[in-house]
Amino acid sequence: MAKQNCLIVLSASSLGVSAPSFLQCYKLTQSAFNIEIATPEAAAAVFIDKDDQSSRWLSDIASKKLLEPQSLSDIQGSQYSCVVIPHSPGASEDLATCEALGSILTQCLAEKKPVCAIGLGVCALLSAVKGDPQQWAFRDIALTGSSLAEVTATTYFSSLPLIPGDAILDRAGIFSTGAPTSIHIVVNAGVVTGQNPQSTLSAVQNMILLANQRQSKGK
């Protein structure tokens, strides 16, 4: 089968993107997909929670010019088989209100293409609206994301403009979490969400399975 295309969406906010979560997303998807990275206005992502190993990986990827993002406003959702959004505190600041990303996600839902979001990256799903009057596109889909207990334990809690659970419930969405720092994912209607960075591996594996199933059916 031909290799599918996967879009990894990163925040460009100074609040940052989790380096460990991004690298897990990248390593898992690169063997199965052609990868493109996109941010708002093609701005460089700021990686946080780096250790020596993740710093080396990021330097290696950057040296091959594989970290140079496209602008989300230039992305055609039809070109991709799936979308992945790693754990990103910054997503609550820029991706949550990004109209270009909202259009991509709405198209994915309409075409039943897998969408995967992890931790605070789930805030990016808030960008997708549809209909007249407009409603949140994910309101009928069960989701998880960073819990209040997990978020309040972070150093950046006071800087976050929104909390996933509150924002989702405010939009009449469906939201649940497991115990703090536990591996917890929800798979519903082709959307895979992970509660926290620890859930990245399981969430992305499930998304890859969904994408491969969709391709095998010729859709």
Side-chain angles (χ1 to χ4, degrees):
M1 291 188 291
K3 216 171 187 182
Q4 303 178 84
N5 297 322
C6 173
L7 181 67
I8 299 180
V9 178
L10 302 180
S11 166
S13 161
S14 60
L15 288 171
V17 175
S18 164
S21 183
F22 163 71
L23 288 171
Q24 277 199 306
C25 291
Y26 187 91
K27 293 174 189 178
L28 286 167
T29 54
Q30 70 171 342
S31 60
F33 303 97
N34 299 311
I35 297 173
E36 294 279 2
I37 294 173
T39 64
E41 307 305 323
V46 177
F47 291 100
I48 61 172
D49 301 330
K50 293 185 289 186
D51 56 18
D52 289 343
Q53 183 179 19
S54 59
S55 294
R56 286 195 298 272
W57 265 96
L58 288 169
S59 294
D60 181 61
I61 296 170
S63 69
K64 299 172 183 175
K65 300 192 182 301
L66 298 176
L67 271 181
E68 295 180 0
Q70 296 189 50
S71 173
L72 282 165
S73 59
D74 294 333
I75 294 293
Q76 298 295 321
S78 59
Q79 298 176 354
Y80 301 92
S81 301
C82 54
V83 174
V84 182
I85 308 161
H87 174 58
S88 313
S92 65
E93 188 167 67
D94 59 358
L95 298 183
T97 57
C98 178
E99 291 185 7
L101 175 58
S103 297
I104 295 167
L105 294 173
T106 301
Q107 183 172 1
C108 285
L109 289 179
E111 297 178 4
K112 300 186 180 346
K113 294 178 177 179
V115 172
C116 178
I118 298 145
L120 286 167
V122 172
C123 293
L125 306 184
L126 300 172
S127 63
V129 294
K130 64 179 182 178
D132 185 17
Q134 289 194 330
Q135 293 184 332
W136 186 41
F138 289 84
R139 65 178 296 173
D140 296 320
I141 299 173
L143 305 170
T144 188
S146 297
S147 68
L148 182 60
E150 289 169 325
V151 172
T152 53
T154 65
T155 57
Y156 47 75
F157 169 62
S158 61
S159 300
L160 294 174
L162 53 85
I163 307 299
D166 291 345
I168 288 169
L169 294 175
D170 285 346
R171 290 162 175 78
I174 306 166
F175 184 81
S176 65
T177 59
T181 73
S182 66
I183 296 174
H184 177 71
I185 70 166
V186 173
V187 183
N188 186 219
V191 178
V192 184
T193 47
Q195 178 173 321
N196 44 39
Q198 294 89 336
S199 303
T200 302
L201 175 65
S202 183
V204 176
Q205 286 176 332
N206 274 270
M207 186 219 64
I208 293 172
L209 179 62
L210 290 174
N212 288 338
Q213 288 175 341
R214 183 176 181 276
Q215 185 185 37
S216 68
K217 292 176 182 178
K219 293 184 179 179

